[in-house]
Every structure is written in C-alpha cells, then in structure tokens.
Amino acid sequence: GAVVSQHPSWVICKSGTSVKIECRSLDFQATTMFWYRQFPKQSLMLMATSNEGSKATYEQGVEKDKFLINHASLTLSTLTVTSAHPEDSSFYICSARGSRTGSYEQYFGPGTRLTVT
Amino acid sequence: AQRVTQPEKLLSVFKGAPVELKCNYSYSGSPELFWYVQYSRQRLQLLLRHISRESIKGFTADLNKGETSFHLKKPFAQEEDSAMYYCALSGRGYNKLIFGAGTRLAVHP
C-alpha cells in the first residue's frame, strides 16, 4: 500500500515552453504532497509543500511563479515548470503523506527527469 | 538552523564487514529522525525511523540526543545493501523533511 506515481517519467522540452508533471497517490488520500528537486549525485532539495485545497508553501529561493504547484484533490498534485530553461533540467520527485500513512511518513514517487534543450 | 550532515559520500566495505553510516543533525526541539534508502533505479523508500526502534534488513539506528547523532549500523553487510542512504529530519509540527547529502554504500564480494 501507499503507492505514489508520477507522470511522465521523463520529458524533453524546448527552452521557453512549459511542462506539467503529475503526482498521484494511488491507494490513499494525500493531505500533503511535497516536491523535491535532485541534481546528479546530490541530495533532495525540498521545493515546496502543498496541502490539498490551499496554496503551496515554497522554500526560500524557489520561484513560485516559475514552479506552479496545484493540489486540487486528495490524490493529485501537479508541478508546472513555466518558461523552462536548460538550468531547470533536473530530476523532480514528489512525495505524499496522508492520515493513513502516519504522522510523518512520506511515500515517494519514482521521479520525473526533465531535460530542457 | 535545521541541518542534517552525512560526512561520508562513499563507504566501501567487503561483504560480511560491519557498517556504520554516520548522521549528525542540528535542530532546536525534539526531532524525528529517519533513514531512507534508494537502491539502483528505484525510488526512495523509508528504511527506518527512530521512534519505532526496530531493525529493518538487519539495520539499526539509535538516536543519541547528547551527540545529536543517528548513525545507521549493520553488523554484517551484504552485497544487496549497496545503495544510496539518506538521513532525514523532521520535527513535531514541522511539516517537511530535511535530507542529508547521502552516503553511497558499496558492498564488495
């Protein structure tokens, strides 16, 4: 149980375009979802926290107008990278937490590799 | 400031040798500490957390508040333990995880 999926698993887009990444909790209701960014051989850096039905809370240094997060339902959160640039190329990982998963346990998606050309 | 430090980027051992992956933290309050593992080409998954005080896959970790450490230990490493290990911290009412830089464990035959 407690499975989180991401779609797409990888995406290539041209500079200046926008790309949307979906994060779904498949068998539980995710009251909170988290978006991370991971550079090669580096740790996960939290970008933002989103609670269902409310605005996302962004970490310092993360541009909220560039990385749009929507958490409209208890099973879906989306991250839209707007006007993508090559420096946005990275591995984006979401995680989800809900009442069923316990107070602090987060379940992670498989990640989405974004390449901006 | 909240911070998790994993001083070793790579830990290389032979099969059957003891393993200790170090983790130190900085947090004002009562933290919850976790170890996450990422096997090759797989997603990050929870290995263990300090409040459960359990042994998973032979790994244990004890929270030492005096030394602000949460080292991960296993008495006899196996090749299948080779993976990336991340120590992470969260706090009561603190709605997020802070990860350390990670330690790659390589267990050689």
Side-chain angles (χ1 to χ4, degrees):
Chain A
V3 178
V4 176
S5 70
Q6 281 184 244
H7 178 79
S9 56
W10 60 270
V11 58
I12 301 173
C13 70
K14 292 186 176 181
S15 185
T17 62
S18 296
V19 60
K20 180 184 287 187
I21 302 170
E22 293 185 349
C23 176
R24 293 182 184 272
S25 57
L26 298 185
D27 55 357
F28 68 101
Q29 293 184 327
T31 51
T32 306
M33 286 186 168
F34 305 85
W35 287 95
Y36 297 85
R37 187 172 178 176
Q38 186 178 32
F39 290 103
K41 300 186 178 182
Q42 294 189 30
S43 187
L44 286 77
M45 297 298 296
L46 180 65
M47 299 175 65
T49 302
S50 72
N51 292 297
E52 185 266 337
S54 61
K55 289 184 178 180
T57 301
Y58 290 81
E59 294 299 299
Q60 191 173 10
V62 177
E63 299 176 60
K64 61 181 180 182
D65 294 330
K66 180 168 187 61
F67 299 99
L68 301 178
I69 292 172
N70 184 280
H71 190 171
S73 78
L74 284 171
T75 59
L76 173 64
S77 176
T78 60
L79 168 67
T80 302
V81 183
T82 63
S83 187
H85 291 285
E87 56 265 30
D88 298 325
S89 298
S90 189
F91 197 54
Y92 292 89
I93 304 171
C94 75
S95 70
R97 190 181 75 199
S99 57
R100 176 187 155 185
T101 65
S103 300
Y104 295 99
E105 190 159 350
Q106 295 181 26
Y107 286 85
F108 286 80
T112 297
R113 182 160 305 283
L114 170 64
T115 301
V116 184
T117 60
Chain B
Q2 295 86 8
R3 186 171 58 247
V4 177
T5 303
Q6 293 179 252
E8 303 142 326
K9 285 190 175 180
L10 172 66
L11 185 61
S12 186
V13 302
F14 286 105
K15 176 183 174 181
V19 168
E20 182 179 50
L21 287 81
K22 297 187 186 302
C23 172
N24 288 90
Y25 66 90
S26 173
Y27 183 76
S28 56
S30 297
E32 296 221 17
L33 275 297
F34 306 84
W35 277 99
Y36 281 83
V37 60
Q38 188 170 29
Y39 299 103
S40 179
R41 300 182 186 278
Q42 294 187 29
R43 69 185 68 195
L44 202 65
Q45 56 185 290
L46 179 66
L47 180 62
L48 53 79
R49 50 181 172 167
H50 89 271
I51 58 172
S52 57
R53 302 183 66 83
E54 56 191 347
S55 173
I56 303 294
K57 299 184 179 183
F59 285 97
T60 59
D62 291 318
L63 179 62
N64 186 320
K65 293 185 178 181
E67 296 183 357
T68 60
S69 68
F70 188 56
H71 303 326
L72 183 68
K73 301 177 183 179
K74 185 170 183 176
F76 308 103
Q78 303 299 315
E79 290 181 66
E80 55 264 31
D81 296 328
S82 296
M84 196 72 181
Y85 291 81
Y86 294 96
C87 182
L89 173 155
S90 180
R92 196 167 296 279
Y94 191 61
N95 195 29
K96 56 188 180 183
L97 283 170
I98 293 178
F99 285 89
T103 298
R104 180 166 299 282
L105 174 64
V107 182
H108 303 286

